[in-house]
Amino acid sequence: MYRQVTVIVLLCSGAVMTLIACWLTRPIRLLTRATGKMAEGEYSYRAEQISNDEMGQLTADFNHMAEALEQNIQNLENEVRAREDFIAAFSHELKTPIALIQGYAEGLKEGINDDPESREFYCDVIMDEAGKMNQMVKQLLTLSSLESGNDKPVMERFDLTELIRGVIGAAQILIQQNGITVEFAADQPVYVRADEFKIEQVVTNYLSNAIHHADGEKKIIIRIQEEENCVLTSVFNTGNPIPEEALPNLWTKFYKVDKARTRAYGGTGIGLSIVKAIMDAHGQSCGVLNWQNGVEFWFTTEK
C-alpha cells in the first residue's frame, strides 16, 4: 500500500513539474518560434505576450524590434522601387533627344545635305536637343538637392508683389509672342518670410506653365490674397481643365499630361516636382484647381 502511494505521489509530482516546466518555458518557445519565422522572411510575425514579468517584457521588446525591422525593410524596398522607377523614367526621357542628336550628327558627317541652309538646320536641332538635356540635368540636380535637405531655404522678409512683377517683366517677350494678356492687380507691397530665390522659382514655373497652356481667351490672372496665417498666391490661365485622373500625378517627376505639347515648348516634366520640394522645404502648401474655363495653380507663404 505504501509503495502504491509513493508511486502515485511521484507520478503526480512529475506531472506537476512537467506542467510547471512547460508553463515556464512557453514564453521562450514562443520567442524561439517568432525568431525562426523572421529568419524565414516572415517579418510581420509577432511573438505572443502571455505574461507581464521579465519574459513578458522581453517579448514586448522583441515585438517592437520586429516592427522597426519590418518598417525599415519596407522603406528599403520602397527606395529601391522608387530608384528603379526614376532610372526607367529618366532613361525614357533621354531617348528622344539622344536619338535626334545622333541622327542629325550622322547626317552632317555623311553630308546628306551639303547646302548651308540644311547644315544650319541640322546644327540648330542638335543644339536645341542638347539644351533640353542640359536643362533636364540642371533641374534634376536642383530637385535632388532639395529632396535630400542639402539646399535649405534661406528665410528673409521681402515684398512678394515686387517679386511677381519682376517675373512677369522677365517673361514679357514670351507673353507677347503667344498673344497672352496677364492681369496682376496688386498695387500694394505684400511682405512674406521665405527664401526669395526659391519663391521666384515657384512663380516662374507657374507662369511658364500658364503661358504654354493658355488657350481660349488666352488670359493669365495672378492674385495675392492675405489670409490669417499665410499669404496665398495663385496663377490662373484660361484653357482646357486638366483631366481629374491626372491631378494627383502632376507633382511626380517626368509626369506630363500632354507629352507632345510639353516637348514642343521644351518642358521636362520636372518643374512642378521642384515646386513641391520647395514648398515642403518651407513647410508650406501648393496645389491645383480645375475651373470650367481654365486651371489655377497656387502656393502659400508665411507672413
Side-chain angles (χ1 to χ4, degrees):
M1 182 71 178
Y2 176 76
R3 290 181 178 177
Q4 291 177 339
V5 172
T6 302
V7 171
I8 292 171
V9 170
L10 289 173
L11 289 174
C12 290
S13 298
V16 170
M17 292 298 293
T18 301
L19 289 173
I20 292 173
C22 289
W23 180 76
L24 289 175
T25 59
R26 189 183 176 208
I28 298 175
R29 286 186 284 111
L30 290 173
L31 273 175
T32 302
R33 177 179 172 81
T35 304
K37 289 288 186 181
M38 293 191 67
E40 294 172 359
E42 296 185 30
Y43 302 110
S44 61
Y45 191 87
R46 300 291 180 268
E48 181 184 356
Q49 185 177 349
I50 59 175
S51 65
N52 294 318
D53 56 10
E54 289 81 357
M55 284 302 303
Q57 185 59 50
L58 179 60
T59 302
D61 291 342
F62 175 86
N63 286 337
H64 288 315
M65 179 200 70
E67 288 175 7
L69 180 61
E70 182 184 16
Q71 185 61 54
N72 286 333
I73 289 173
Q74 183 63 48
N75 290 340
L76 286 172
E77 290 176 349
N78 290 339
E79 287 179 9
V80 170
R81 192 176 304 114
R83 190 178 296 113
E84 289 175 349
D85 291 343
F86 169 77
I87 291 172
F90 185 53
S91 300
H92 177 75
E93 290 298 322
L94 286 177
K95 282 182 180 178
T96 300
I98 288 175
L100 286 171
I101 289 172
Q102 183 178 6
Y104 280 92
E106 288 175 354
L108 282 174
K109 184 178 180 181
E110 294 173 5
I112 294 177
N113 291 296
D114 291 330
D115 59 287
E117 186 177 342
S118 295
R119 286 198 299 271
E120 184 176 351
F121 172 75
Y122 276 42
C123 289
D124 286 343
V125 172
I126 292 172
M127 292 174 63
D128 184 52
E129 295 303 323
K132 290 176 182 177
M133 290 174 62
N134 186 42
Q135 181 187 12
M136 185 189 303
V137 171
K138 285 182 178 179
Q139 288 185 323
L140 280 174
L141 290 173
T142 298
L143 183 59
S144 176
S145 184
L146 285 166
E147 291 181 337
S148 65
N150 293 328
D151 188 9
K152 295 181 179 179
V154 178
M155 305 299 283
E156 55 187 335
R157 191 168 174 79
F158 61 91
D159 181 5
L160 184 59
T161 301
E162 182 182 353
L163 182 149
I164 293 174
R165 290 199 180 281
V167 173
I168 295 172
Q172 200 59 45
I173 294 177
L174 197 57
I175 291 169
Q176 292 174 355
Q177 287 177 344
N178 286 273
I180 295 170
T181 302
V182 177
E183 293 182 9
F184 180 52
D187 53 5
Q188 297 293 328
V190 177
Y191 289 95
V192 297
R193 186 173 179 274
D195 186 311
E196 185 172 2
F197 174 72
K198 289 180 173 57
I199 296 303
E200 184 178 1
Q201 283 183 285
V202 173
V203 175
T204 299
N205 187 283
Y206 277 179
L207 181 59
S208 176
N209 280 354
I211 290 171
H212 291 116
H213 291 89
D215 214 339
E217 295 181 59
K218 289 208 167 185
K219 182 182 292 186
I220 294 174
I221 302 173
I222 303 176
R223 293 190 179 94
I224 298 178
Q225 182 178 339
E226 295 192 63
E227 301 190 344
E228 185 176 352
N229 299 317
C230 66
V231 174
L232 177 69
T233 304
S234 64
V235 179
F236 168 85
N237 67 270
T238 57
N240 296 322
I242 298 170
E244 290 294 325
E245 65 273 13
L247 291 177
N249 301 314
L250 291 177
W251 316 97
T252 304
K253 290 185 284 288
F254 301 120
Y255 184 81
K256 302 171 185 176
V257 178
D258 186 341
K259 294 182 179 180
R261 186 168 189 172
T262 303
R263 176 161 181 77
Y265 67 79
T268 62
I270 304 173
L272 290 179
S273 299
I274 292 177
V275 169
K276 182 69 167 59
I278 290 174
M279 290 296 102
D280 288 345
H282 279 78
Q284 295 293 323
S285 303
C286 60
V288 58
L289 295 170
N290 268 334
W291 296 95
Q292 187 174 1
N293 63 331
V295 179
E296 177 185 20
F297 282 89
W298 59 269
F299 71 93
T300 62
T301 40
E302 180 184 340
K303 281 187 173 181

